[in-house]
Structures are given as C-alpha cells and as structure tokens.
Amino acid sequence: AQRVTQPEKLLSVFKGAPVELKCNYSYSGSPELFWYVQYSRQRLQLLLRHISRESIKGFTADLNKGETSFHLKKPFAQEEDSVMYYCALTIGMRFGAGTRLTVKP
Amino acid sequence: DVKVTQSSRYLVKRTGEKVFLECVQDMDHENMFWYRQDPGLGLRLIYFSYDVKMKEKGDIPEGYSVSREKKERFSLILESASTNQTSMYLCASSLSSPLHFGNGTRLTVT
C-alpha cells in the first residue's frame, strides 16, 4: 500500500540555519511527489513537485528512489517559513502526518 | 485560478444527526477528494471520486458516505454523527495533479 512518512511532527531551527524536512514513501512504481504548505487559517497550497525540479521560496526537494525519500531543504531558514508542511504521494493521493517548522529569531 | 468552495467554515452538530458537507469546484475537474485533518495525524483520505456517480473508499471510510451527482459537486455525508468525527474536513479537486483544496469545514459534534 502507498504510504508517506514524515518522521518529525515538530522541527525547530534558528533563522539563517539550514533546514531539512524529511519525507519517506513506500511505493513500488515510479512515484510523483509533492510538498504542500499550510499557512495559518489558509488552505493547503502546493509548494513544489518533484518533476519540476524547481526552487520555490528557496526550498528544493530531490527524489531519491534508492532511499525512497523526498526531503525538503532550504539553506537559510527565514521566520516566515514557520508553517505546516505536508509531503504527498500522488498515487492514491496519500499525505504524511505533517511537520510544523518553527524558525526562531 | 481554481476555486474549491466548501459551503460551511464552521459547523456544530449533535451526536446522531445526519450531516452533509458540501464541496463545489469550478474547473471541470474529474477528480474530487475528501480528507479529514487532525493534529499529529495529518490528512487522511476518506473517499474520492474519479467521475460522476463513481466513488472509491479511502483509508477511513467508516461512518461516512459520499455523493457525486454532478461533476462539480462532491458531498460528504455523516450518517449518524459521533463525537470522534469532530475534525477539520478538507475537500480537494484535480484534473490529474496537483490537488486544489478548499478552505475546510471545522465540524464539532457534541
């Protein structure tokens, strides 16, 4: 069965420090993965998708099929990055439990 | 821009009531989904639909049913609401991917 695991429910870093939000998936085929973000009192919105290989708001994510991972990274965290992040697998439209990132000043 | 509209932002119902949560999208999307969002559990898929009058169970369908009579509308039905169904309910639609979400309905069952 398809499954997405985000092992960290809470993650805290200092402003300017690098940040990595972990995401692992279980799927035997070729996955399509996304990161969604949810700002306070707003709807979930797409942050980035692995096939586009783009950087959004300084975030990047690389699909590692060997490790079945799709970790989200940013070299220098900003206070406005303090929101909820969800990793999602398109097959079956499954989501992880989410990671709440806090960037301390 | 895709608009997914959930009819109620907040809803309070009593145990045993039949509850309807409505979702409408305006982009002619084939696929529609219902999730519930709980702290620490993330989004869990309740039901989804790939076409009118078609429905598929997600991971937690117990206690819920759905209706899709028209392409733009996907309704979630709680046949007999219980307190453990107190949650945030999110509707989403897509053509293929990604998903476009509504604002959510926070349902409280007392």
Side-chain angles (χ1 to χ4, degrees), chain B residues 6-101:
Chain B
Q6 294 183 232
S7 55
S8 303
R9 188 81 171 103
Y10 298 95
L11 212 52
V12 180
K13 296 292 181 181
R14 291 191 181 276
T15 302
E17 278 192 79
K18 190 169 186 176
V19 182
F20 294 85
L21 303 184
E22 306 288 346
C23 175
V24 177
Q25 49 93 5
D26 66 355
M27 285 300 291
D28 203 37
H29 283 173
E30 303 287 341
N31 312 316
M32 296 189 76
F33 304 81
W34 275 106
Y35 294 87
R36 62 178 284 176
Q37 182 182 30
D38 299 288
L41 298 176
L43 276 71
R44 292 181 290 167
L45 184 62
I46 305 172
Y47 267 97
F48 58 101
S49 168
Y50 287 145
D51 202 351
V52 175
K53 295 193 186 295
M54 290 184 66
K55 59 185 179 184
E56 298 285 343
K57 292 180 180 179
D59 296 323
I60 52 163
E62 297 78 19
Y64 304 95
S65 63
V66 289
S67 171
R68 189 148 183 222
E69 296 296 319
K70 293 185 178 181
K71 194 174 187 179
E72 67 270 20
R73 185 180 297 270
F74 192 35
S75 304
L76 179 70
I77 303 157
L78 285 67
E79 298 291 343
S80 177
S82 63
T83 54
N84 61 15
Q85 292 179 309
T86 291
S87 185
M88 173 69 86
Y89 289 89
L90 301 180
C91 175
S93 74
S94 74
L95 195 55
S96 55
S97 59
L99 297 179
H100 299 269
F101 283 89

Side-chain angles (χ1 to χ4, degrees), chain A residues 57-77:
Chain A
K57 299 184 179 183
F59 285 98
T60 59
D62 289 318
L63 178 62
N64 186 323
K65 290 186 179 180
E67 296 183 358
T68 60
S69 69
F70 186 56
H71 302 330
L72 184 68
K73 300 176 185 179
K74 186 169 183 177
F76 308 103

